Amino acid sequence: EALISTVLFDNVSEVIHDRVPVQKVDPMTDRDYSVRGCTALLDAIGGAIHHIGNVHKYARNEDVPEHTLFVITTDGMENASRRYDSETVKKMIERQKEKYGWEFLFLGANIDAVETAKHFGIGADRAVNYHSDHKGAQLNYEVLSEAVSAVRCSVPLGTNWKKRIDEDFNSRKDGRKQ
């Protein structure tokens, strides 16, 4: 069993899926997602951690998932949060990792993803830069599908989970097309 929660964010956070069985999640389209305003990255992360943490806290023990994989994907830097700051989010992430074994992945375009993730308590082995174009987005979803499958099968997520994204980013970062 796998439950999916999806939060889209810009200057507003919008919950698209809230613990929906993976079989019932339809592919997202431009009707579900459109680019609007600023990037309230910290508010989106903090709000989602708070929500999922509370769901787990008040659930029966048998309803708390064995694994929680929290994937953050952004195509811009934080510039609009009002409720959470980076230190608070970092403490929240570190708590969920240490106390509950949550796994966090950070994918960022148009920013230094590794440096940004570090400010949130996410290590370099769990952060990757990507190109925010069709090819980069498609590759992200392929790689994340593999990572989710591994976590669902209780396979430890090694440092190579992001290898294909790194290779694509590095091969095209100077404007060279592959």
Side-chain angles (χ1 to χ4, degrees):
E1 182 179 20
L3 302 175
I4 306 294
S5 297
T6 306
V7 179
L8 300 180
F9 65 94
D10 43 32
N11 55 315
V12 175
S13 290
E14 182 179 353
V15 177
I16 303 298
H17 309 106
D18 189 5
R19 296 179 43 85
V20 176
V22 68
Q23 301 86 347
K24 294 185 179 182
V25 175
D26 292 325
M28 290 181 64
T29 69
D30 56 1
R31 288 189 200 130
D32 303 307
Y33 176 76
S34 60
V35 178
R36 293 183 294 218
C38 302
T39 303
L41 179 60
L42 296 169
D43 285 354
I45 296 169
I49 292 171
H50 180 79
H51 174 71
I52 297 300
N54 274 340
V55 168
H56 292 185
K57 180 178 178 180
Y58 295 110
R60 298 176 308 170
N61 284 342
E62 60 269 21
D63 292 333
V64 176
E66 186 177 345
H67 305 289
T68 299
L69 179 61
F70 197 104
V71 180
I72 304 158
T73 307
T74 184
D75 66 353
M77 60 194 328
E78 161 62 50
N79 62 13
S81 289
R82 304 229 185 269
R83 294 178 21 226
Y84 293 90
D85 59 36
S86 61
E87 191 56 37
T88 301
V89 167
K90 181 178 183 177
K91 287 177 184 172
M92 292 172 79
I93 288 173
E94 289 173 344
R95 179 177 188 268
Q96 297 310 112
K97 286 181 353 185
E98 292 167 14
K99 189 168 183 180
Y100 301 106
W102 288 19
E103 184 76 66
F104 287 82
L105 302 180
F106 187 90
L107 295 85
N110 308 315
I111 59 173
D112 182 337
V114 173
E115 186 63 29
T116 302
K118 183 171 79 171
H119 290 292
F120 305 152
I122 300 171
D125 64 331
R126 296 295 187 253
V128 65
N129 293 300
Y130 73 95
H131 288 287
S132 61
D133 57 15
H134 178 77
K135 181 179 177 182
Q138 181 68 36
L139 183 57
N140 281 356
Y141 289 111
E142 289 172 14
V143 168
L144 288 173
S145 176
E146 294 164 4
V148 168
S149 293
V151 170
R152 287 182 70 192
C153 294
S154 298
V155 174
L157 197 57
T159 57
N160 279 339
W161 72 271
K162 63 180 185 166
K163 182 180 179 193
R164 291 173 47 213
I165 299 172
D166 273 335
E167 288 170 350
D168 177 63
F169 182 80
N170 290 329
S171 72
R172 299 191 299 138
K173 72 179 175 184
D174 297 325
R176 295 173 287 169
K177 299 290 181 196
Q178 295 277 324

